[in-house]
Every structure is written in C-alpha cells, then in structure tokens.
Amino acid sequence: MSERSDEIIGLAERLVRHFADKGLMLATVESCTGGLVAGAITEIAGSSAVLDRGFVTYTNEAKMDLVGVDPAALAAHGAVSETVARQMAEGGLSNSRAAVSVAITGIAGPDGGSDAKPVGLVHFACAGPKGIIHRECRFGAIGRQAVREASVIQALQMAIAAN
C-alpha cells in the first residue's frame, strides 16, 4: 500500500456517494493509469450504481477503436496531448451510458519522455453536464507508480467537480 492509498480510497468513496446522490453514471478512459481509476471506484460498495464502464486505451489503436480518437489528432499532437485527452473524454461519453467521462493520458516513465513531453506529463479531460474541462499536470520524474497514483487522485477530483 502506498502513502496515497487512503487519499484515493477517500476520493473514490466521495465520488460514489456524490454520483449516487445525483443519479449519475461515470465512464473512465485511461491510458497511463491502465484502469486504476475504475479499479479504485470498484473498491467501493455501491459503485455498480455509478460506474458504467471503463476503457483502457493504452495504445493509439485502442484510443481510435474504443473511443473514436481521430488518427489525424494522434499524428498531429501525439497521444499525450490536450487534444487527444479531450477526444478520449468525449468518446467515453458517446460510447457509454455515462453522464460524465474522465480521461487520462500521460507518460508515467521511467522512459518515454522528451524535452517537449517529459516523464510525469499527464493530460486529463473530463466531459459532463458542465462541458469539457482539461488539466495538464507535470508531476516530474517521481517514479512510475507515484505518477500513476497522482493521476488517479487528479482524475477522481475532476470527476467529482464535473457535475
């Protein structure tokens, strides 16, 4: 168990209560977190009432096939970009019964970064009743697991705030 586990569980509990109270469902579209957001939510009793589905879109092909990310956007901006995160979130909505969709795409490391897109760069998008919001976080080279856990926290916070 990591230091952040309690925070993640607390946020997941809050999300489940919040969504259940509003009668809303959530879809997750995850790349670098590989399903950790959906996994955190399903740790909570009652989550079946609020989590419609989770898409793990680790490859570019999965992003295109499962949630309709435009190949031209991937070619022009790369998978780790605001454009692709937004398209992932929008695709999560249009390919589910959810009212809110949260998407995560980033570079957890330890390899794969560049000067323009360093390890620890993660783009988040959340689509819902209030529209679509984007957030870019640069967590730095804090370690693969730490980047992934920080990303789960950010995604849960954004989903709660989205409605």
Side-chain angles (χ1 to χ4, degrees):
M1 291 287 256
S2 75
E3 301 171 13
R4 293 187 169 131
S5 294
D6 289 343
E7 184 177 3
I8 290 169
I9 291 167
L11 282 167
E13 287 173 341
R14 192 169 142 213
L15 181 142
V16 169
R17 279 194 313 271
H18 183 72
F19 273 64
D21 288 349
K22 292 189 171 235
L24 298 175
M25 296 197 85
L26 175 72
T28 63
V29 186
E30 303 181 61
S31 186
C32 65
T33 49
L36 291 175
V37 176
I41 295 166
T42 59
E43 286 288 326
I44 309 306
S47 60
S48 61
V50 302
L51 182 65
D52 178 49
R53 65 194 71 191
F55 300 94
V56 177
T57 59
Y58 208 70
T59 65
N60 288 349
E61 290 75 17
K63 288 172 183 63
M64 294 182 287
D65 294 347
L66 296 176
V67 293
V69 171
D70 183 0
L74 286 162
H77 304 285
V80 180
S81 64
E82 177 178 352
T83 300
V84 169
R86 286 177 176 273
Q87 287 187 11
M88 289 168 64
E90 290 166 347
L93 282 185
S94 57
N95 289 285
S96 72
R97 299 179 302 129
V100 176
S101 173
V102 64
I104 306 104
T105 183
I107 305 166
D111 302 318
S114 67
D115 288 341
K117 294 183 181 186
V119 168
L121 172 64
V122 184
H123 286 272
F124 301 86
C126 193
K130 295 179 181 176
I132 186 163
I133 56 171
H134 166 264
R135 182 160 295 137
E136 175 185 307
C137 292
R138 292 179 180 258
F139 298 115
I142 58 175
R144 184 175 183 80
Q145 188 62 24
V147 169
R148 289 163 40 100
E149 289 173 349
S151 295
V152 171
I153 290 166
Q154 181 64 55
L156 291 168
Q157 290 171 335
M158 285 179 73
I160 292 166
N163 59 79

